[in-house]
Structures are given as structure tokens and as C-alpha cells.
Amino acid sequence: MGEGDPQVTVVVPTYNERENLPKLVGMVTGLAVPNLRVLVVDDNSPDGTGEVADELAAKSPGTVGVLHRTEKNGLGRAYVAGITRALDEGADIVLQMDADLSHPAEVIPTMLEILATTDAAVVLGSRYVPGGSAAGEWAWHRKALSAWANFYVNAILRLRLKDATAGFKAWHASALRKIDLPTIRSNGYAFQVEMNYRTVRAGMRIAETPIRFEERADGDSKMSLGVQIESALMPWKLLLGNRKR
């Protein structure tokens, strides 16, 4: 790795992802990206994902790290903990990436190139820009729900994003510090929307690059009714909270 290369940390929250995690880590660390490491944030998975992560870290010290959390209190909390650790350890760029193999690792170099060559503060992998697509296995009603969620969020918050709920993102460390990450309290898709809203409100630009979003092959979805309700309410909370300020 070159001395001038930015330190890139891919933060991967996990809960019961023991089958998917080794595949994902192999894909990410196999990229021709210098100075890249993976930080696994495990929420005390009962299936032993944390132990699998420790084994991967032991095989690749300095490339794979593990943050063990003692409770499962939401994707947003796991991301805040992981991103905070990454920043504390000197990351110049932080990526958010799901462990279920829905996000294509091969797009990471493109995301980093956009960060390096444009004024974007964050680059998100988008299903809804030209060249992007959602999983072919999705039923029509799931595709409709995703499209409606993006329309709903943009109509309320005026983010002007094609994929406002996307969870595959590459951030400049400076942008993450500007949005005051420790004070974000939402989870699930609402967490992604709140981060986007704070970024736009701070006058920073979000770029979108196309991805093909894949359906998970192993494990179970973490989408609960509570997460869906929070996602529906969060745009209004953000809008009304900003007006009060």
C-alpha cells in the first residue's frame, strides 16, 4: 500500500450472518484497493457469527477487525458504533455495507474513485439511477413498496435522491464528523434517511452510482414491523424538528 493512499474502512454490522460473512470478507479484501480493512460489528449473534469474525481477524490481522456488542438494539446503533470506531482508528473513508451479500463489492472501487475526483461528500450505491436495478427475485409488491418509500421520503424531505433509503455508502470522514453521528438515534431505513437529510442540510453533496441490488441467499431478513413504522414516521420527525429549530 502506498503512503499517500487513504485509509478505507468497510463497516459491516452482523447478526446471524455466519454463512455470508466469510464470503463478503473474501470479496472485499480481494479487491485491488490499497489500505482497505473490514470492521465487523457483531451484535452477539447466537449463531456464532462473532466467533467466525474473530477467526477471520486472526487470519488477517490488520485487515479484518471485530467490534463485539453485547446487545442487539438496531442496525443504526451498530453502524454508529462501527463508524465511530473506524474514525477513532484513523479512517479517511468509511463504507457502510450489509453482510447479506445484497451489496456488490465490485462497485467499491468506483465509489472511491467518485469520492477522489468529485466534490461529493458521500457516494451511495443506487438501485434507481440508470444502470441500477433491484433484485430480480423481488415480488412486485416489494418493488412497489421500495419505490413508494423513496417517493415518500423525497416528497417530505426534498432530498432529490433516486435511492434515498439505500444502505451501501462511501463517506469522507470529514462528512461523517459534520453530521454529528453520535446524536443520530434512528434505526433501519430511517437511519439511512436521517444521515442523508443531515448531509443535505449541511450543504454537502450526495452522489449516486448504479448497483444491482441482490436478494440474500442465506439467513433471514431483519426487516420488522417496528422498523417499518419508524421509517414511516422519521421523515416527519426530521422535518418538524428542523422547523422548530
Side-chain angles (χ1 to χ4, degrees):
M1 65 184 67
E3 291 184 6
D5 295 318
Q7 180 175 315
V8 179
T9 300
V10 182
V11 176
V12 182
T14 57
Y15 186 78
N16 288 350
E17 298 284 2
R18 64 173 296 126
E19 300 299 327
N20 291 323
L21 183 62
K23 300 173 188 175
L24 177 66
V25 170
M27 291 175 185
V28 173
T29 57
L31 297 170
V33 176
N35 215 4
L36 179 146
R37 66 189 298 265
V38 178
L39 176 60
V40 180
V41 184
D42 186 66
D43 280 4
N44 199 23
S45 298
D47 76 340
T49 300
E51 288 78 4
V52 171
D54 286 335
E55 292 171 4
L56 293 168
K59 292 176 182 176
S60 303
T63 301
V64 180
V66 187
L67 173 58
H68 292 281
R69 298 192 336 129
T70 57
E71 61 178 336
K72 182 180 184 295
N73 60 352
L75 180 70
R77 302 302 92 225
Y79 263 130
V80 167
I83 294 171
T84 300
R85 170 69 67 85
L87 294 175
D88 288 345
E89 293 179 347
D92 300 300
I93 295 170
V94 180
L95 280 99
Q96 297 174 239
M97 194 171 188
D98 290 348
D100 61 6
L101 307 181
S102 60
H103 297 153
E106 64 271 16
V107 180
I108 289 177
T110 300
M111 299 169 83
L112 297 178
E113 178 69 14
I114 294 171
L115 282 182
T117 58
T118 73
D119 64 345
V122 54
V123 179
L124 63 84
S126 176
R127 296 163 288 186
Y128 302 125
V129 294
S133 62
E137 301 87 347
W138 275 14
W140 70 267
H141 62 273
R142 190 169 176 189
K143 291 180 179 178
L145 178 61
S146 176
W148 167 251
N150 274 286
F151 172 80
Y152 176 80
V153 166
N154 278 302
I156 298 169
L157 299 179
R158 303 190 183 281
L159 298 177
R160 296 182 175 88
L161 295 173
K162 298 293 187 182
D163 202 346
T165 62
F168 186 25
K169 299 176 181 174
W171 296 82
H172 279 300
S174 57
L176 288 165
R177 294 188 176 98
K178 279 184 183 177
I179 65 172
D180 195 14
L181 191 71
T183 65
I184 290 179
R185 288 289 172 263
S186 52
N187 275 305
Y189 291 144
F191 172 76
Q192 309 296 357
V193 171
E194 185 173 1
M195 291 183 76
N196 289 340
Y197 182 68
R198 291 194 182 196
T199 302
V200 171
R201 288 289 304 171
M204 296 183 289
R205 190 171 76 85
I206 301 174
E208 297 183 76
T209 194
I211 65 165
R212 174 173 171 78
F213 181 89
E214 300 289 352
E215 181 63 283
R216 68 161 56 243
D218 296 299
D220 299 317
S221 172
K222 312 303 189 297
M223 176 61 71
S224 66
L225 178 60
V227 167
Q228 293 179 57
I229 292 172
E230 182 195 39
S231 298
L233 295 176
M234 181 53 62
W236 294 107
K237 289 182 179 180
L238 294 172
L239 185 66
L240 295 174
N242 182 63
R243 285 180 177 175
K244 286 179 182 178
R245 286 193 295 272

